[in-house]
Amino acid sequence: MERGDRKTAPFPSGKKDNRESQSNGRGALAVAETGMVDYDDALAIQTAMLAARIEGSVGDTLLMMEHPHVFTLGRGADERFIVGNTQAVPIRRVSRGGEVTYHGPGQLIGYPILKLEGRERDVTKYLRSLEAAMIDALAKIGIEAGRRDGMTGVWVGARKIASIGVGIRHWTTWHGFALNVSTDLRYFDSIVPCGIEGCRMTSVCEITNRAVSVREFAGVMRESFARIFLYDEIISRISDAELAPHSVTTDG
């Protein structure tokens, strides 16, 4: 699953872009940058926050983090696309769309927990907006990225830099996107990324030939995400105490 770009001026964290927010704003977006989180723990946090967003006890939230090495398979994904696993990377099958992908250190993972309402109840539109947010963020650091017809994700030339696999329950989103910042791309050699034969991956650091941290890029990404999705402001911090009640595993 994964396209639609638009150019408008970014706005600082916590500030409103009056051209859009006066009539179309979605209110506040809470952003939590949690650092390195084990995949199973992250899934538990997501699952519980999804339930909390559905019931209305939390607002729209963007979780951004990294994971230790893991291969994930979407609903119905074909395990034959894992073509080698000599380093015994853990494998998880989860409730998202898409085929197999790799997550690991140096990759920015974004899990939007958003309630889609009104005209936003359009899965294709949501996927295109995720792509647009990443394309916008990459442009801000000098990378010209785009889409490929019929394929979900973000590409730089012939190589893919970001993948998307989402889940939607009661028109509330979970799972999300993975963008390679300083990722060790050799791990992708063990899979057929997203089930696309011949797909080669790239990263921000490979393209720019300079050191870029996940934390640095996450700061750019949250601004682009808020602008593309028309949030009026960013609540830039969520405390550990606020996340803790949502870390108990529930049925996903």
Side-chain angles (χ1 to χ4, degrees):
M1 292 186 290
E2 301 171 333
R3 238 168 7 198
D5 196 9
R6 184 177 53 158
K7 294 186 181 297
T8 57
F11 56 94
S13 175
K15 302 295 184 182
K16 295 184 179 181
D17 182 335
N18 290 326
R19 292 171 302 168
E20 297 183 316
S21 66
Q22 287 177 348
S23 58
N24 299 314
R26 295 174 58 137
L29 173 71
V31 176
E33 297 175 35
T34 61
M36 185 70 68
V37 180
D38 181 80
Y39 186 83
D40 292 339
D41 292 339
L43 185 60
I45 293 171
Q46 272 195 87
T47 304
M49 290 198 71
L50 172 67
R53 185 67 190 99
I54 290 170
E55 71 180 19
S57 59
V58 300
D60 284 356
T61 302
L62 174 61
L63 304 172
M64 291 197 290
M65 62 188 68
E66 295 176 74
H67 294 317
H69 306 294
V70 63
F71 295 137
T72 69
L73 294 155
R75 297 183 302 272
D78 194 331
E79 292 188 18
R80 71 183 174 89
F81 289 131
I82 299 176
V83 296
N85 192 4
T86 58
Q87 299 192 58
V89 173
I91 299 170
R92 298 289 185 268
R93 185 177 290 277
V94 294
S95 299
R96 62 161 174 80
E99 284 286 345
V100 64
T101 195
Y102 161 76
H103 297 316
Q107 185 183 70
L108 176 63
I109 307 294
Y111 294 130
I113 313 295
L114 316 179
K115 185 170 286 188
L116 303 181
E117 299 180 295
R119 282 182 281 181
E120 301 305 314
R121 291 189 172 185
D122 181 326
V123 177
T124 300
K125 181 179 179 180
Y126 174 61
L127 295 174
R128 300 297 83 83
S129 294
L130 289 177
E131 290 174 344
M134 289 187 282
I135 289 169
D136 186 81
L138 289 165
K140 289 176 181 175
I141 62 168
I143 296 176
E144 183 178 351
R147 307 168 181 78
R148 283 192 169 184
D149 288 342
M151 295 184 180
T152 299
V154 176
W155 304 72
V156 179
R159 296 199 170 201
K160 194 173 189 182
I161 195 169
S163 301
I164 297 175
V166 306
I168 296 178
R169 184 177 299 171
H170 299 296
W171 288 109
T172 303
T173 69
W174 62 319
H175 297 290
F177 62 86
L179 191 148
N180 300 321
V181 180
S182 57
T183 316
D184 184 344
L185 299 174
R186 292 174 295 181
Y187 281 87
F188 286 103
D189 294 339
S190 296
I191 65 173
V192 178
C194 305
I196 305 171
E197 296 289 350
C199 178
R200 304 300 300 171
M201 305 299 289
T202 190
S203 69
V204 169
C205 289
E206 182 178 67
I207 294 165
T208 62
N209 198 31
R210 70 177 182 88
V212 180
S213 69
V214 169
R215 184 174 182 178
E216 177 185 351
F217 189 79
V220 178
M221 184 66 214
R222 71 178 195 169
E223 300 293 337
S224 291
F225 188 96
R227 187 177 64 78
I228 293 296
F229 281 89
L230 302 178
Y231 286 96
D232 299 333
E233 62 179 338
I234 297 171
I235 302 171
S236 60
R237 293 181 181 176
I238 296 179
S239 70
D240 291 341
E242 288 175 292
L243 282 176
H246 307 299
S247 63
V248 179
T249 303
T250 61
D251 182 18

